[in-house]
Every structure is written in C-alpha cells, then in structure tokens.
Amino acid sequence: GDSVTQMEGPVTLSEEAFLTINCTYTATGYPSLFWYVQYPGEGLQLLLKATKADDKGSNKGFEATYRKETTSFHLEKGSVQVSDSAVYFCALSDLSGGFKTIFGAGTRLFVKA
Amino acid sequence: GAGVSQSPSNKVTEKGKDVELRCDPISGHTALYWYRQSLGQGLEFLIYFQGNSAPDKSGLPSDRFSAERTGGSVSTLTIQRTQQEDSAVYLCASSFGQGPRELFFGEGSRLTVL
C-alpha cells in the first residue's frame, strides 16, 4: 500500500540556518503530495502541496518540489526562524487509496535564537 | 461551524471501560477522517468516510475500535474495553469534495487510560 517516509528528528538548527527535511513516498498511482505543520499547542494545518510531477509548492518561505523520478518531496527553507519550531508532516493522497490521506511519522524542528 | 470541533478535549478512563469520542466536521464537508497520534509517533490512519460510500476501515487496529457517521455529518469513534496502549490523541479531520484535498483538523481528544 501507499506509504510516506520522513527523516527522523528532532532537527535542531540555529536561526537563519538552511533547512531540509527529507520525505520519500511509495504509491501505486500518481499521488498528490502535502506538507502539514503542527505548531506547539495548535492543530495541524496545511503548509503547502503539489499535485503533479515537477510542481513546486511554496508558502511562508518553505518550498518543496514533487520529484517523480526519486519519489521525493523534500521540504526546504533558506533561513529558518524561531517561530518555525514545530512538527512537520509529509503526506500523500492517491486515487488507488480512495484518496485517503496517509501521513509520515513527522519531524520535529527546534530553532534556537 | 467555523472549524472542526471535537469533544471531549480530554478524557481519563479506567482500563476496560468504553469511551466515545465525537467529531463535528465543517459544514458541507463530505469527507471525514479519524487519526491517532501517540507520543513520539506520527499520525496513524484509522478510518475514512467519503460521502455515502462505505467507509475505509483499513486502519482500525482491532475490533474494539468502531466509528460511525450519522447523516453525513457528526461522527463518533468508539473504543470498547480500553487498554493502556489506547492512550493517545485522537484527531478528526474533514475535507470538501472528492479527490486529493486539504484536510482541516480539529484540536483532538486526548485519551488517557489508567
């Protein structure tokens, strides 16, 4: 079945550092890919998405590119801030799965001032 | 309502008791999901309702877990004969229409089984 694999955390960075959180997926079809974020004490919310190969999703300075050849959707940000400290979840939704959304294990990010 | 509403927000129960968790999705949303988030774990898919279709129950961990959705709106997740390993945050989410859509999450119901 479909699955999502994320790099294990926690990831600890200093403010203004470059961030990469790796995400790879397994799917039988052509899934749509998502990054969700869970800030401390808050519910999950969509950060960005991409629906087809080579699409780039972007929001709040974060970017991720849908790479079909490597089945990856890595999250990047050029300069992180303390306020980016959160748990980040990679997810997919695929026709073969009836469009149910499957999540990775999540990666916790700590940004130090 | 304005968002997905879940109740109770916190529930402490004794091992062996039954619990019911409620989810009120965003009005008009046809899809409703239940997930489980355990400490240090990711989001574990439990069950998915889409419109009038039969629910996808493939994520329910045992026959002690069941869920229903009445009138295409409110959903109740029931856990019978709770065990300590059932302790987790149970998250509900809803989305509009079919296809790969953004999920809107509730704040969750934190279940503690003593």
Side-chain angles (χ1 to χ4, degrees), chain B residues 32-91:
Chain B
L32 186 147
Y33 297 77
W34 284 98
Y35 293 90
R36 179 166 69 176
Q37 186 174 24
S38 304
L39 188 62
Q41 303 297 314
L43 285 168
E44 177 187 6
F45 167 77
L46 297 178
I47 188 167
Y48 165 47
F49 297 89
Q50 174 57 270
N52 295 322
S53 302
D56 181 337
K57 305 179 181 181
S58 59
L60 294 179
S62 77
D63 59 8
R64 296 187 295 104
F65 288 73
S66 63
E68 63 177 22
R69 189 178 185 192
T70 54
S73 181
V74 172
S75 176
T76 302
L77 176 68
T78 301
I79 308 173
Q80 295 180 309
R81 305 181 302 282
T82 52
Q83 303 295 312
Q84 288 185 332
E85 61 263 29
D86 299 334
S87 297
V89 177
Y90 290 82
L91 293 171

Side-chain angles (χ1 to χ4, degrees), chain A residues 10-27:
Chain A
V11 174
T12 302
L13 295 173
S14 297
E15 210 165 21
E16 299 183 3
F18 185 86
L19 168 71
T20 300
I21 300 178
N22 290 338
C23 171
T24 58
Y25 68 89
T26 300

Side-chain angles (χ1 to χ4, degrees), chain B residues 7-55:
Chain B
S7 61
S9 55
N10 275 287
K11 175 72 176 179
V12 180
T13 191
E14 294 180 347
K15 178 181 171 181
K17 301 283 190 184
D18 297 352
V19 297
E20 286 189 349
L21 307 176
R22 176 189 168 102
C23 174
D24 221 323
I26 293 172
S27 178
H29 279 195
T30 55
L32 186 147
Y33 297 77
W34 284 98
Y35 293 90
R36 179 166 69 176
Q37 186 174 24
S38 304
L39 188 62
Q41 303 297 314
L43 285 168
E44 177 187 6
F45 167 77
L46 297 178
I47 188 167
Y48 165 47
F49 297 89
Q50 174 57 270
N52 295 322
S53 302

